[in-house]
Every structure is written in C-alpha cells, then in structure tokens.
Amino acid sequence: MIDLHTHSCASDGTDTPRGVMEAAAAAGVTVVALTDHDTTAGWDEAAAAVPDTHVALVRGVEISTRAHTPAGGVSVHLLAYLHDPQHPTLRSELERTRDDRVQRARRMAERLAEDFPLTWDDVVAQTHDGATVGRPHLADALVAAGVVAHRDEAFATMLHPGAPYYVPHYAPDTADAVRAVLAAGGVPVMAHPRAGTRGRVVTEDTIAELAQAGLAGLEADHRDHTDPDRARMRDLARELGLLVTGSSDYHGAGKHNRLGEHRTDPAVLAEIEDRGTLEVLRPWTR
C-alpha cells in the first residue's frame, strides 16, 4: 500500500513527522511520502522512524507554484520526490516562498483582526517551530478563538481567495519549478490537477506544456477528483507519456483525508525511484 502525498506539522498537518509514519503503519500503509509544503524540515524525524514503524519513506515536498496562462495565473501544487534538498536553485525558491508565506500570514492576520478577536500571537501559537506558515494555521487560530467551528468553515468563508481578508503569496512559475526539481535530481508530479473545489485548475493544454518542460506525472487518484476526473487524467497521462499516482493528501486531524485511501502502483514507485537522486528509505536496507 503506497501513499505518496502526506503532510506533518512541519507544514499544515497536525501529526509530527514520526506521527505520520506511525499513523501510516497503523493504517497498513507500507510506503509513505512526506511532502510538506515548501519544506523538507520533517525529513530527518520521519527517516528516523523508518526502522521502528517498518514503513518505507519517500522524501518529498509539495511546492506552491503558479502557472501563467492566457486566462491569468492559476495556483498549481507540484510534488517533488527524491530530490537533492541542497540544490541551490530549488532550495532558494523554497526559502523565498516560505519567507513570503510568513509575511502574507501576518497581513491576513492584520486584516482579520479588524473584524475578529485574532492576533498574530494567536496564529503563532497554532504553528510548530520551524513550520511553513499557511492559511491552515490562521484557520486553527480562528477555531481556537471561537470565530469558526472548524478549518473547513474558515476556508469556505474568510480565508477563501475571494474574501477581503485574503492575501496572495509568492509562488514560482510552474514550468520553472518543474525544471528546478529536475535540476535537483527529483521527480515532479502535479498534485490533484482537477481539484476544482480549491479554485481554478489549469487546462489540458497547460498540462501538455508542463509535460514538455519535464513534468513526470499526474496525481490522478485523489479525494478531490470525481470518477470522470480520474479517468480523464489517466487517459491524459497515457497520451502525454506521464506517470499516474494516487495519494491521500493526509493532514492528520486537519482534513478528513485518510492514509491509504488512494494509492500508487508499485511499478510507478519503482520508476520514480529509478529517476530520483535519493533512495527510498526502507526498514530492511537501513
């Protein structure tokens, strides 16, 4: 059982990196990818848990990018697997994004504070040390303040891109990010390409352009995709010669997503490992 998309408290999940590994073991997942937003801060702790949990670890990251299309910019989340975390270009882009996320969260907190009982310290209190700050931490602060009942309510209202409190953050161009992942020896896969409930999605023409830039795969099987979406993404992947993955996008208690609810074929994982710079950390090889 292979799940190639999870988050820990190093970004916007609620489990520690070790906790993700332990939860994977409890769910019967045998291989898990830790793909926190714009950071590799959880890698070492997750790697240390491999022998104890008997769960293999794929080290990755989910990069916040923006595709520039004739209709305007579209947010695209790019999963990078088994790359060199010290590669200067990719590392620089991730650091820039994380730094801007902090400033963006501060600006959103200031706007929210004009109408709700919220301070920046409230947001910091919901964020683990060194974590990539994001809207989920603002949502958790709003829940703690009694403004909303849960994260979903916050995202559907005041944290929605159409809300007056929303502030965008820096994100590299998607094609440039694909090339940076490849330069770092990683394998770039587009996360949930048809998750329309999150906002606008890119067209198939844009996906084809990204494939020409080196995109390696599409995350076709995801909770936010309908059955027709999944079928079409599989067909498109075949047409473009891309890999097909399936993942949970697990966030612990932060989302309803459950580990292993969507999975990746072992042959696809083998191809990802063959293309990547890093090895998959397995309990029987450590």
Side-chain angles (χ1 to χ4, degrees):
M1 190 188 295
I2 301 167
D3 188 336
L4 294 185
H5 186 172
T6 71
H7 297 274
S8 75
C9 62
S11 63
D12 57 344
T14 59
D15 295 350
T16 64
R18 170 173 283 275
V20 171
M21 300 297 288
E22 291 172 346
V29 173
T30 54
V31 183
V32 69
L34 184 65
T35 52
D36 281 312
H37 290 285
D38 304 308
T39 184
T40 61
W43 281 14
D44 288 347
E45 182 179 329
V50 168
D52 299 333
T53 60
H54 302 287
V55 174
L57 175 66
V58 177
R59 288 163 286 180
V61 66
E62 185 172 12
I63 307 170
S64 308
T65 77
R66 184 163 297 276
H68 299 281
T69 74
V74 180
S75 176
V76 174
H77 287 187
L78 187 71
L79 295 161
Y81 298 119
L82 302 178
H83 62 280
D84 174 7
Q86 301 305 321
H87 188 273
T89 301
L90 184 57
R91 182 177 180 178
S92 175
E93 284 296 328
L94 295 179
E95 288 176 350
R96 181 178 177 184
T97 300
R98 290 197 303 274
D99 290 345
D100 195 66
R101 276 181 176 272
V102 174
Q103 299 308 313
R104 175 257 201 138
R106 280 185 174 274
R107 293 194 297 271
M108 289 186 69
E110 290 170 358
R111 293 185 181 186
L112 287 160
E114 295 177 4
D115 296 321
F116 304 102
L118 183 78
T119 68
W120 176 244
D121 286 343
D122 294 331
V123 178
V124 171
Q126 299 297 325
T127 308
H128 289 260
D129 289 344
T132 299
V133 182
R135 285 184 296 161
H137 302 107
L138 287 161
D140 291 344
L142 290 166
V143 172
V147 176
V148 294
H150 45 70
R151 275 188 182 185
D152 289 348
E153 182 182 350
F155 271 87
T157 55
M158 56 199 68
L159 300 184
H160 190 275
Y165 311 105
Y166 182 83
V167 175
H169 66 80
Y170 168 77
D173 174 76
T174 306
D176 288 344
V178 166
R179 287 186 280 265
V181 171
L182 292 172
V187 184
V189 172
M190 186 185 295
H192 41 69
R194 279 293 172 267
T197 57
R198 298 166 178 251
R200 294 173 54 224
V201 298
V202 294
T203 65
E204 293 185 8
D205 286 342
T206 297
I207 294 175
E209 292 170 3
L210 293 172
Q212 291 180 340
L215 182 70
L218 297 175
E219 187 183 59
D221 295 324
H222 187 280
R223 170 183 283 252
D224 291 348
H225 289 177
T226 64
D227 288 342
D229 287 336
R230 295 170 192 166
R232 178 54 197 152
M233 288 301 98
R234 287 179 175 277
D235 288 343
L236 182 61
R238 280 193 291 270
E239 293 167 14
L240 298 175
L242 301 178
L243 302 173
V244 172
T245 66
S247 312
S248 66
D249 199 357
Y250 175 74
H251 283 69
K255 287 187 177 181
H256 299 298
N257 309 42
R258 299 272 61 87
L259 280 160
E261 66 181 26
H262 294 293
R263 310 167 191 174
T264 296
D265 187 279
V268 172
L269 175 60
E271 181 66 23
I272 289 172
E273 186 171 17
D274 185 61
R275 297 186 191 186
T277 290
L278 302 180
E279 65 177 347
V280 176
L281 298 180
R282 295 180 172 86
W284 54 88
T285 58
R286 285 181 58 79

